[in-house]
Amino acid sequence: MTALWRIIPPGAANSIAAFGSTIQFHLAGPDTNGAFCLGLATTPPGVAPPLHVHANDDELFIVAAGDMAFYTPDGWHDVTTGTVVFVPRGVPHTFRNRGSTPSQHWVLTAPSGFEEFYARSAEVFANPGPPDFAAIGRTATDFGYTIMGPAPVE
């Protein structure tokens, strides 16, 4: 199957909320023959997803707005708008919005699949009450992700 070229105008992306952030997925696996997915994430101040690792995909972040910090095995790194962060598969990581306003970053994972994991996780977060992290852990395993625990303290 050959991917078709795409033009995705502002506001036309599929928005999915989970882990405290909302990601507008502009390109998903079916759009790229599974090569990658691309989304624009908006993260409220103070929000950080759990520390996690991807076994099967590499992840690229481009900070579009705000003050953020990224965590890798050598600690926290403060970043600002325009910073590019590459996290190869197998490297535990997370990020946090350190600012006082929502941050935005582009996230690209290769190959695709992250958008499906995020959509399935969003279903868990949509349920009333605290999220069922055991269910999220099972979903993560289905996609080759391991959730290692809360984001480390800065």
Side-chain angles (χ1 to χ4, degrees):
M1 175 176 160
T2 302
L4 301 174
W5 60 273
R6 300 275 192 253
I7 296 176
I8 297 91
N14 181 27
S15 291
I16 302 173
F19 299 100
S21 295
T22 300
I23 302 179
Q24 297 175 332
F25 285 98
H26 292 255
L27 293 169
D31 302 314
T32 66
N33 284 340
F36 65 91
C37 71
L38 174 69
L40 179 61
T42 301
T43 304
V47 168
L51 181 65
H52 62 282
V53 64
H54 302 224
N56 303 318
D57 53 301
D58 301 317
E59 196 163 22
L60 176 74
F61 301 91
I62 302 170
V63 179
D67 293 317
M68 299 180 70
F70 281 81
Y71 180 86
T72 60
D74 60 344
W76 284 99
H77 304 274
D78 294 337
V79 300
T80 58
T81 301
T83 302
V84 174
V85 178
F86 173 67
V87 182
R89 64 193 73 191
V91 176
H93 63 282
T94 188
F95 62 85
R96 175 177 281 119
N97 177 350
R98 297 193 67 210
S100 59
T101 60
S103 64
Q104 288 193 312
H105 65 273
W106 289 97
V107 57
L108 182 146
T109 61
S112 66
F114 176 70
E115 74 281 20
E116 295 174 37
F117 162 74
Y118 212 76
R120 284 188 38 199
S121 295
E123 294 171 8
V124 175
F125 280 93
N127 293 326
D132 179 352
F133 278 100
I136 292 170
R138 289 188 298 275
T139 298
T141 299
D142 291 346
F143 289 90
Y145 304 147
T146 303
I147 297 177
M148 303 171 74
V153 176
E154 288 185 65

